[in-house]
PDB file of all heavy atoms in Angstrom:
ATOM      1  N   THR A  38      44.840  41.668  -0.939  1.00 95.00           N
ATOM      2  CA  THR A  38      43.608  41.461  -0.179  1.00 95.00           C
ATOM      3  C   THR A  38      43.517  40.054   0.390  1.00 95.00           C
ATOM      4  O   THR A  38      43.780  39.076  -0.298  1.00 95.00           O
ATOM      5  CB  THR A  38      42.383  41.713  -1.096  1.00 95.00           C
ATOM      6  OG1 THR A  38      42.437  43.048  -1.555  1.00 95.00           O
ATOM      7  CG2 THR A  38      41.081  41.487  -0.357  1.00 95.00           C
ATOM      8  N   LYS A  39      43.128  39.975   1.648  1.00 95.00           N
ATOM      9  CA  LYS A  39      42.944  38.685   2.342  1.00 95.00           C
ATOM     10  C   LYS A  39      41.476  38.451   2.701  1.00 95.00           C
ATOM     11  O   LYS A  39      41.143  37.476   3.366  1.00 95.00           O
ATOM     12  CB  LYS A  39      43.772  38.649   3.630  1.00 95.00           C
ATOM     13  CG  LYS A  39      45.237  38.943   3.433  1.00 95.00           C
ATOM     14  CD  LYS A  39      45.963  37.780   2.838  1.00 95.00           C
ATOM     15  CE  LYS A  39      47.451  38.045   2.855  1.00 95.00           C
ATOM     16  NZ  LYS A  39      48.100  37.753   1.611  1.00 95.00           N
ATOM     17  N   THR A  40      40.595  39.338   2.268  1.00 96.00           N
ATOM     18  CA  THR A  40      39.177  39.248   2.589  1.00 96.00           C
ATOM     19  C   THR A  40      38.575  37.948   2.073  1.00 96.00           C
ATOM     20  O   THR A  40      38.811  37.562   0.921  1.00 96.00           O
ATOM     21  CB  THR A  40      38.418  40.449   1.967  1.00 96.00           C
ATOM     22  OG1 THR A  40      39.015  41.650   2.433  1.00 96.00           O
ATOM     23  CG2 THR A  40      36.942  40.426   2.326  1.00 96.00           C
ATOM     24  N   VAL A  41      37.792  37.282   2.903  1.00 97.00           N
ATOM     25  CA  VAL A  41      37.102  36.060   2.512  1.00 97.00           C
ATOM     26  C   VAL A  41      35.877  36.445   1.694  1.00 97.00           C
ATOM     27  O   VAL A  41      35.100  37.312   2.091  1.00 97.00           O
ATOM     28  CB  VAL A  41      36.696  35.237   3.762  1.00 97.00           C
ATOM     29  CG1 VAL A  41      35.846  34.039   3.379  1.00 97.00           C
ATOM     30  CG2 VAL A  41      37.930  34.817   4.542  1.00 97.00           C
ATOM     31  N   GLY A  42      35.727  35.798   0.542  1.00 97.00           N
ATOM     32  CA  GLY A  42      34.580  36.083  -0.311  1.00 97.00           C
ATOM     33  C   GLY A  42      34.765  35.529  -1.707  1.00 97.00           C
ATOM     34  O   GLY A  42      35.626  34.684  -1.946  1.00 97.00           O
ATOM     35  N   SER A  43      33.946  36.037  -2.617  1.00 97.00           N
ATOM     36  CA  SER A  43      34.019  35.591  -4.004  1.00 97.00           C
ATOM     37  C   SER A  43      34.390  36.758  -4.909  1.00 97.00           C
ATOM     38  O   SER A  43      34.068  37.912  -4.621  1.00 97.00           O
ATOM     39  CB  SER A  43      32.699  34.965  -4.450  1.00 97.00           C
ATOM     40  OG  SER A  43      31.671  35.927  -4.450  1.00 97.00           O
ATOM     41  N   TYR A  44      35.056  36.429  -5.981  1.00 98.00           N
ATOM     42  CA  TYR A  44      35.480  37.421  -6.971  1.00 98.00           C
ATOM     43  C   TYR A  44      34.632  37.234  -8.217  1.00 98.00           C
ATOM     44  O   TYR A  44      34.568  36.141  -8.769  1.00 98.00           O
ATOM     45  CB  TYR A  44      36.964  37.243  -7.300  1.00 98.00           C
ATOM     46  CG  TYR A  44      37.868  37.638  -6.161  1.00 98.00           C
ATOM     47  CD1 TYR A  44      38.166  36.748  -5.140  1.00 98.00           C
ATOM     48  CD2 TYR A  44      38.412  38.923  -6.104  1.00 98.00           C
ATOM     49  CE1 TYR A  44      38.998  37.113  -4.093  1.00 98.00           C
ATOM     50  CE2 TYR A  44      39.235  39.298  -5.057  1.00 98.00           C
ATOM     51  CZ  TYR A  44      39.525  38.387  -4.059  1.00 98.00           C
ATOM     52  OH  TYR A  44      40.343  38.753  -3.025  1.00 98.00           O
ATOM     53  N   SER A  56      38.114  33.381  -2.576  1.00 97.00           N
ATOM     54  CA  SER A  56      39.293  33.689  -1.763  1.00 97.00           C
ATOM     55  C   SER A  56      40.004  32.412  -1.318  1.00 97.00           C
ATOM     56  O   SER A  56      41.197  32.445  -1.016  1.00 97.00           O
ATOM     57  CB  SER A  56      38.896  34.536  -0.556  1.00 97.00           C
ATOM     58  OG  SER A  56      37.937  33.854   0.230  1.00 97.00           O
ATOM     59  N   ASP A  57      39.296  31.279  -1.301  1.00 97.00           N
ATOM     60  CA  ASP A  57      39.906  30.001  -0.910  1.00 97.00           C
ATOM     61  C   ASP A  57      41.047  29.600  -1.840  1.00 97.00           C
ATOM     62  O   ASP A  57      41.942  28.864  -1.436  1.00 97.00           O
ATOM     63  CB  ASP A  57      38.873  28.870  -0.911  1.00 97.00           C
ATOM     64  CG  ASP A  57      37.812  29.038   0.157  1.00 97.00           C
ATOM     65  OD1 ASP A  57      38.023  29.821   1.106  1.00 97.00           O
ATOM     66  OD2 ASP A  57      36.757  28.390   0.036  1.00 97.00           O
ATOM     67  N   LEU A 128      35.200  42.118  -5.714  1.00 98.00           N
ATOM     68  CA  LEU A 128      35.185  41.228  -4.558  1.00 98.00           C
ATOM     69  C   LEU A 128      33.890  41.416  -3.783  1.00 98.00           C
ATOM     70  O   LEU A 128      33.520  42.544  -3.430  1.00 98.00           O
ATOM     71  CB  LEU A 128      36.380  41.521  -3.643  1.00 98.00           C
ATOM     72  CG  LEU A 128      36.401  40.830  -2.284  1.00 98.00           C
ATOM     73  CD1 LEU A 128      36.404  39.313  -2.416  1.00 98.00           C
ATOM     74  CD2 LEU A 128      37.598  41.306  -1.485  1.00 98.00           C
ATOM     75  N   VAL A 129      33.208  40.313  -3.530  1.00 97.00           N
ATOM     76  CA  VAL A 129      32.008  40.321  -2.706  1.00 97.00           C
ATOM     77  C   VAL A 129      32.371  39.585  -1.422  1.00 97.00           C
ATOM     78  O   VAL A 129      32.519  38.358  -1.413  1.00 97.00           O
ATOM     79  CB  VAL A 129      30.817  39.642  -3.400  1.00 97.00           C
ATOM     80  CG1 VAL A 129      29.593  39.646  -2.485  1.00 97.00           C
ATOM     81  CG2 VAL A 129      30.498  40.314  -4.724  1.00 97.00           C
ATOM     82  N   PRO A 130      32.582  40.342  -0.319  1.00 96.00           N
ATOM     83  CA  PRO A 130      32.945  39.696   0.946  1.00 96.00           C
ATOM     84  C   PRO A 130      31.893  38.688   1.393  1.00 96.00           C
ATOM     85  O   PRO A 130      30.698  38.895   1.163  1.00 96.00           O
ATOM     86  CB  PRO A 130      33.029  40.870   1.927  1.00 96.00           C
ATOM     87  CG  PRO A 130      33.305  42.058   1.062  1.00 96.00           C
ATOM     88  CD  PRO A 130      32.535  41.801  -0.208  1.00 96.00           C
ATOM     89  N   ALA A 131      32.329  37.624   2.032  1.00 94.00           N
ATOM     90  CA  ALA A 131      31.437  36.558   2.468  1.00 94.00           C
ATOM     91  C   ALA A 131      30.333  37.070   3.375  1.00 94.00           C
ATOM     92  O   ALA A 131      29.196  36.608   3.321  1.00 94.00           O
ATOM     93  CB  ALA A 131      32.217  35.453   3.163  1.00 94.00           C
ATOM     94  N   ASP A 132      30.642  38.070   4.213  1.00 85.00           N
ATOM     95  CA  ASP A 132      29.624  38.590   5.123  1.00 85.00           C
ATOM     96  C   ASP A 132      28.608  39.506   4.439  1.00 85.00           C
ATOM     97  O   ASP A 132      27.634  39.891   5.039  1.00 85.00           O
ATOM     98  CB  ASP A 132      30.265  39.289   6.311  1.00 85.00           C
ATOM     99  CG  ASP A 132      31.245  40.384   5.918  1.00 85.00           C
ATOM    100  OD1 ASP A 132      31.450  40.614   4.715  1.00 85.00           O
ATOM    101  OD2 ASP A 132      31.825  41.005   6.831  1.00 85.00           O
TER     102      ASP A 132
END
Side-chain angles (χ1 to χ4, degrees):
T38 300
K39 305 284 189 227
T40 304
V41 174
S43 65
Y44 290 84
S56 59
D57 293 343
L128 171 60
V129 179
D132 55 0

